[in-house]
Amino acid sequence: GAGVSQSPSNKVTEKGKDVELRCDPISGHTALYWYRQSLGQGLEFLIYFQGNSAPDKSGLPSDRFSAERTGGSVSTLTIQRTQQEDSAVYLCASSRSGTGGSGNTIYFGEGSWLTVV
Amino acid sequence: QQQVKQSPQSLIVQKGGISIINCAYENTAFDYFPWYQQFPGKGPALLIAIRPDVSEKKEGRFTISFNKSAKQFSLHIMDSQPGDSATYFCAASMRQGAQKLVFGQGTRLTINP
């Protein structure tokens, strides 16, 4: 697609329920990232995929959070037994490759706004 | 050691003025410093980026100044316009290994007409 696509754009869920957030990266981008943005806060790294593997999961806040990527494309972030503190915007991003530096711009989607009530 | 500290948290500038946002980092392994612009309800978008081998980079009205010895970098927006009103994030990453951006806390910029 033309940009990083995320769904749903908004999700309200009850505490204790599981949620799945989907990300469709830019076509051809091998690297995919999930970030979390809480109200008034910066962006917090969650997990990085290179292809279908996740060499860096260091930002996942607890074992209630998991993510997978299939076919080197679509990724799903799953939050089990949601808590109120999970309320945030979950941003997905992709880049052509996972190597750092200029020339490998990271492009963000518009995010999935999650509210846990 | 992974932190990037950004200031101010919010900034109000008159139209036509210069907006200045500052960031400081700790990890000397960082070697790529982008700035992202985020409008309400949208994802962050890359605005401008710099590598530590240069002290300044300019693109239109936007300039990054970089001070490697002080481990600081800043964004200057010249002739600020109401359309520049947004939240700005500085970030840093390392060239080696995964390109994991570490973000500052953000600056909410308001340009008054």
Side-chain angles (χ1 to χ4, degrees):
Chain A
V4 178
S5 178
Q6 292 188 245
S7 62
S9 55
N10 285 283
K11 175 73 175 180
V12 179
T13 190
E14 292 182 352
K15 177 181 173 181
K17 300 280 190 180
D18 298 352
V19 296
E20 287 189 351
L21 307 176
R22 176 189 166 102
C23 174
D24 198 346
I26 294 172
S27 178
H29 281 193
T30 62
L32 185 146
Y33 313 80
W34 284 97
Y35 284 81
R36 180 169 71 174
Q37 184 174 25
S38 302
L39 186 63
Q41 299 296 310
L43 285 80
E44 173 191 13
F45 170 81
L46 298 178
I47 188 170
Y48 154 69
F49 285 92
Q50 180 59 45
N52 291 336
S53 64
D56 191 342
K57 306 178 184 179
S58 61
L60 294 177
S62 75
D63 58 7
R64 296 187 295 106
F65 288 72
S66 63
E68 65 174 12
R69 188 180 186 192
T70 56
S73 180
V74 172
S75 175
T76 302
L77 177 69
T78 301
I79 309 172
Q80 295 179 311
R81 306 181 301 282
T82 52
Q83 303 295 312
Q84 287 185 329
E85 61 262 29
D86 299 334
S87 297
V89 179
Y90 290 84
L91 290 159
C92 179
S94 70
S95 63
R96 186 177 299 115
S97 74
T99 56
S102 59
N104 189 37
T105 301
I106 293 179
Y107 297 89
F108 284 84
E110 296 195 344
S112 290
W113 293 65
L114 175 66
T115 303
V116 182
V117 297
Chain B
Q1 194 168 9
Q2 291 291 321
Q3 276 190 321
V4 176
K5 295 181 180 179
Q6 183 172 346
S7 63
Q9 282 189 312
S10 62
L11 179 63
I12 300 174
V13 174
Q14 290 301 116
K15 179 182 174 181
I18 302 173
S19 304
I20 302 174
I21 304 170
N22 301 298
C23 285
Y25 63 98
E26 299 172 2
N27 190 342
T28 55
F30 288 146
D31 65 354
Y32 175 62
F33 303 90
W35 285 87
Y36 279 79
Q37 180 188 55
Q38 185 178 31
F39 293 105
K42 301 294 185 182
L46 179 66
L47 186 63
I48 186 172
I50 197 168
R51 296 279 297 280
D53 52 348
V54 297
S55 60
E56 186 175 282
K57 182 174 180 180
K58 184 176 181 179
E59 290 185 2
R61 296 184 294 109
F62 301 91
T63 300
I64 299 179
S65 297
F66 186 83
N67 185 329
K68 188 174 181 178
S69 61
K71 292 186 286 185
Q72 295 175 346
F73 58 110
S74 60
L75 175 69
H76 291 63
I77 306 174
M78 311 300 287
D79 187 26
S80 299
Q81 300 296 312
D84 297 330
S85 296
T87 299
Y88 292 81
F89 293 94
C90 62
S93 72
M94 291 179 278
R95 188 189 324 190
Q96 299 302 320
Q99 187 183 9
K100 182 170 70 178
L101 289 171
V102 178
F103 283 87
Q105 292 299 94
T107 296
R108 187 168 182 176
L109 175 64
T110 302
I111 307 300
N112 284 335

